[in-house]
Amino acid sequence: MSVISYFLVVYEHEKPETRKAGFIYIVMTHIGTGFILLSFLILAGGSGGFGFEGFRASGPTMLPLFKDLAFLFALIGFGAKAGIVPLHIWLPYAHPAAPSNVSALMSGVMIKTAIYMFIRVFFDFLGAGVLWWGFLVLAAGALSAILGILYALVEPDIKRMLAFSSIENIGIILLGLGASMIFYANGSPALSAIAAIAALYHLFNHSVFKGLLFMGAGSIIFSTHTQNLEKLGGLIKKMPLMAILFLIGVLSISALPPFSGFVSEWLTFQSLLLSFSSGDSLVRIVLPASAAVLALTGALAAFCFLKAFGIGFLALSRSEHAEHAKDANRPMLLGMGIFAVLSILLGILPVYVIPFLDRITGTFTGTSIGQSISSGFPGTITMPAGQISMSAPSLFVFMLVFLSIPLMVQLMKGKKHGAVYETWGCGQPVSTARNEYTGTAFSKPVQIWFKNLYRPARELRAAYSVSPLIKQSFKFESRIGQVFENYLYIPVTGYILSKSRMIKFIQTGSIHAYLAYIFGTLVILFMFVIMGGK
Amino acid sequence: MEEIVFGSNIMQLLIALILVSTFMILGSTRLYSCVRAFGIQSFLLACVAGIVAFSTGKIDIYIVAFLTLAIKAALIPYIFIYIIREIKVKREIDLYVNISPSLIIGGILVVISYYLIRSINLITELSSFALSASMSLVSIGLFIMISRKKAIMQMLGILIMENGLFLGAISLTYGMPLLVELGIFFDVLIGVLIMGILIFRINKTFETIDTDMLKTLIG
Amino acid sequence: MFTLSSLGIVIFQVIIIVALAPLLSGMIKKIKAFFQIRKGPSIFQPYYDIAKLMRKDSVVSENVSWIFHAAPLISFAAILTAGLLIPIYISDMPLGFAGDLIAVVYLLALARFFTALASLDAGSSFGGMGGSREMFVASMVEPALMLSIFAIALNVGSTNLSFISQAVSSMGLAAVSPYHILAFVALFIIAIAETGRIPVDNPATHLELTMIHEAMILEYSGKQLAIVELTAMMKQLLVFSLLANIFFPWGIASEINAAGIALALVVFIIKIVILGAGMALVETSTAKWRLFRLPDLLSVSLMLSFLAIVSFIIVRGV
C-alpha cells in the first residue's frame, strides 16, 4: 500500500520538492510498517500464526505486558500511516506534492485504512479491555486535532492546509474511538457503540468532504496555476458553480448544520457527554476536558475554512492568475457535485446511515444500538439518556422556512438591491485588491495567541530611495517555526546519524569483507541453533 | 453534626467561592485586584468559620472567625495596599507563567488535590470538598509563589497557603485550640510585617521588587 | 404528535423573539445610561431605528457577490431556528426534539460564519479585521461554552433544553449548588463575549480599529442593515434566555394555559431585565480589554466550568 502510494506521491517527480516529499513519506510509512510488524510479531508470538483468526485467539491469552506492547506498537505504526501527531510530518509534504486527485484518494481512503486497523487490533485482537489505552488514544486524538487545525489555520498553501486539516479530522475520529475504548473497558458496550458510531460517521464524512475540497483545490490550481491562497481572490465571480460546491465542502468541514460534519461532531460531543453515566470519576473529568479541546478544534476549523473561502473566493482577485480563472469543466464539476450532494445527504439523513454503521460497530462492541438511537420521528437521533435528541432534517426545514419568509417579502416588493458604490474605506479610494485583508492577517490573532507553539519568525526590510523618510519598497516576511521537525525529528535523526557514523567502519567497500560478515552471521546462527538444543 | 455543617448548600457555596477567589488571584495581572481577591477569600473563610462556630456554639471558633475577619480580611490587605502605594511599584504583575496556562495548571492542581484527599480516605464523603479545596489552596498558593516575579506575590502566595491550612483545620477538627490559632495569627501578622519591611529593603537596594534581580546575589 | 396548540406555541415564540429583542437592547442601553448618570435614549429607540432602516434604500459595494446578500438572511434564519429550541415562556418546547443545547451552539456558529464571510466579501480591510477578530473570539468562547454546557448537563443529566429547565425548576432551591453557581458565572462571562459587550467588544463604538461586530457589518445599509441589527438583538435575547431559563427557570409555564403563559412572560421579562442590569453594570465598571488579553478572560470562564465539573464530582463523591 505504502509503496504504491509512494509512486502516486512522486507522480510529478521532476520537481525536487516532490522527491523530498516522496522521501519523507516513504521513510515515515516505513517506520510505521516497522512498528506494525513488531506489533504483529508479538501477536503472532502469542498464537503461533500470522492469520487474523490466530491473532484474535491469542488476544485473551497474552500476558498484559505483551498486550500493552502490541497496543503501543500498533498505535505508533498505524498512527504514522494515519498521520497522528507527532508522526504526521509526512502529510503536509505528501499532499501538496501529489496531484489533487491522488490527495483526495489518499485522504479519503488510505488514512482510513489505518483507522480500520486500529479498530481491528484494539478491539478485535486485543479485546480493548485496558482503560489507559482508551485514554492514550483520546490524548493522541486531542493532540492531533488541535495541532492539526492550528497548523492548517496559518498555512497559505491550500493543499498543505487541507493536509493539516486531515490530521485534525483524524484527531476527531480518534477522540470518538478513544471514548469508545474507554467505555468498552469500563464495561458499558452500549455507550461504546455510540462513540464508535460517532467515530465511523466522522470517518465517512471526512472522506466525502475532504475529497470534495481536494478536488476543489485541484480545479483551483488547474485554473489559476497557483496553490497560494494569498494570490487568489474573487473566484466566486469567475467560477460560480465551483464556488458553491466548495462552499458546501467548507460548511461541512466546519461542522455547521445542516451539513454532514455537524452530525458527526454532534455525535462525538454526545458520546463524550455520555461519560456522565460512567461511574469512574477520572473518566468524568477527562472526557469533558477533551470535549473542550474538540470545541476549540471545531471553532478553529470554522475559522480556517472561513479564511480559505473568504480569502480565496470573495472580494477582488489578488493576482493575474486569479483574474483569468475559468470555471471548472463539466466532469470536474460533476465529480464534485456528487460529493457535495453526498455531503448534504449525510448531513440531513443520518438516520439512514447510522443503522448501516451500527452493523459495523456491532461486530466489535458486541452491541447493536442503531435501532434505538435512530428510530425517532422525522429523522431524529435520540441518545439513551436525558431525552437528548437532534433532528437534522427538521432543523433544515425550519431554516428553509425562516429563509423563505424574508425572501418572499423581497420578491413581492420586486425591488432590486440599492445603489452600487465603492467599498467604504474611511473616505479614501481603496477599492483595489492591495487593500484587502490578507489570509495571513486574517489568521494572525491565533498566531499571536499560540505564539509559543508557532514560534513565528518575521523579517522587515525597507529600501529607501532618496531620504530615510521616503520608503521605496517594503518587504515583510513571516514564517512559522516547524516545532516538531526542529525539536523532535532533527535531534532524533541527528542522533541516529551520529551513531551510524560510529559503526560506519564496518562498511569497507570490499566484497570479501561483506561475504565474511554473512559467513560470520551464519556461524552465529548455527551456534544459536545448537545452543538452543531443540 | 459534621455532615450537616459541611454538607449544607451554603457551606459548599462558600467553599466554591473561596476556590473562585483563588482563581481570581491566579487570573489577574493587577496587584490591587490580587490583594482584593485575597481579602474576599479571607472574608469567605471568616464566614465559613462563623458558620462552624454558629453550628457548634463554641466560643473560641467565634473568636477565630472574628480574628480572621479583622486580621486577614482587613488588616493584611490594608498593609499590602500601603506597601504597594509607598514603594510606587508598577501595578502590573510580571509572570513566569502566563495567565491562561496558570489557570489551567490551577485546575489540574484542584483535580490532583481531590485525588490526593480521596486516596487518604479517612474523612467523611461530605467534608471531602472542604479538604480538597484546602489542599488546592495550599498547592495553588505555592504555585503562585513559584510563578510570579514580584516579592509581594510571594507574600500573597504564602498567605493563600495559610488560608488553605486554616480551611483544612477547621473542616477536620473545627479549628485548632484557641491558643495555637492565636499563635498562628500572630505569626502571620508578624510575618507580613517582616516581609513588608524586607520588601522595602529590597526595593531600596535594587530599586525593584522583582525577585528576578535577586539572582545577582549568587556567589 | 404535532398538534395545533403546539403550532401556536411555536408561532408565538417566534413573534416574542422578534418583538422582544429590540426592547431588551433598548432596556440595557437605558440601564447603562442610568449607571453612567445619563438620561439615555428611550427604551423603544431600537424599534425606531429598525423601522427607519427598513424604509431606507441600501448602498452596496461594487465588489460583493451573492454571499453578501444571502448572509443576513441565512444568519436570521439560523438564529430563529435556534430560537425554536430554547424555552422562553414554556418549558416544554414542542420542537425541542429537533435539537439540544449543542445544536443551538452550532446554529449560532452558522449565523456567525455567514456574517464573517460577508465581512470579507466587500474587500475592505475593516471587514476582514472584524471577521478575523470575531472568529478569534469565537474560537476562545467555544471551548469555555462547551465545558459549561457539560457542567450543566452533568448536574441534570441532559443537554435537552426543555429537560434541563424542567429538571432545575422541579429541584427548587436545592438546585442552587456550588456547581450551579460556578457554571452560571462561567456562562455569564461567555454571554458577555457572545453578545459583544464591553470587556470583549464595545457595541457603541464608532472607531473602526476597535470594532469587532460593527466592523464586520460596516458595508451593510438600509434594509439589510435592519435585518443584521435585528439578528444581533435576537441573538442577544436568546443568549439571555438561555442564561435565565437554564439556571433560574422558576416561573416558567409548564403547561399551556393563558394565565400561566402570561405570568411566565412577565417573569421572563423581569429575569432578562435583571440579567441586562448585571450586564450593564459590568459594561459600566470595566474598560474594554485589549484583544490579546481576552484569552485570559475566557480561560477564567473555562476554569470556572471545569471547577464546576470537579466540584460536582467531589461533592457527590463519585
Side-chain angles (χ1 to χ4, degrees), chain C residues 35-55:
Chain C
F35 283 133
Q36 295 168 350
I37 323 183
R38 290 186 287 121
K39 193 151 168 278
S42 147
I43 55 170
F44 300 108
Q45 190 60 41
Y47 293 101
Y48 307 147
D49 291 346
I50 287 176
K52 183 150 205 172
L53 284 172
M54 274 296 184
R55 285 199 303 274

Side-chain angles (χ1 to χ4, degrees), chain A residues 182-183 186 188 191 273-284 287, chain C residues 318:
Chain A
I182 289 172
F183 289 137
N186 259 347
S188 34
L191 305 186
L273 195 67
L274 288 171
S275 58
F276 301 150
S277 8
S278 138
D280 192 322
S281 60
L282 193 63
V283 173
R284 298 171 72 161
L287 292 199
Chain C
V318 185

Side-chain angles (χ1 to χ4, degrees), chain C residues 26 47 49 56 88 90 152 208 223 268 275 283 287 296:
Chain C
Y47 293 101
D49 291 346
K56 295 246 179 195
I88 285 186
I90 191 156
I152 297 158
E208 283 90 341
K223 293 180 190 62
F268 174 71
L275 282 171
E283 279 209 291
D296 297 348

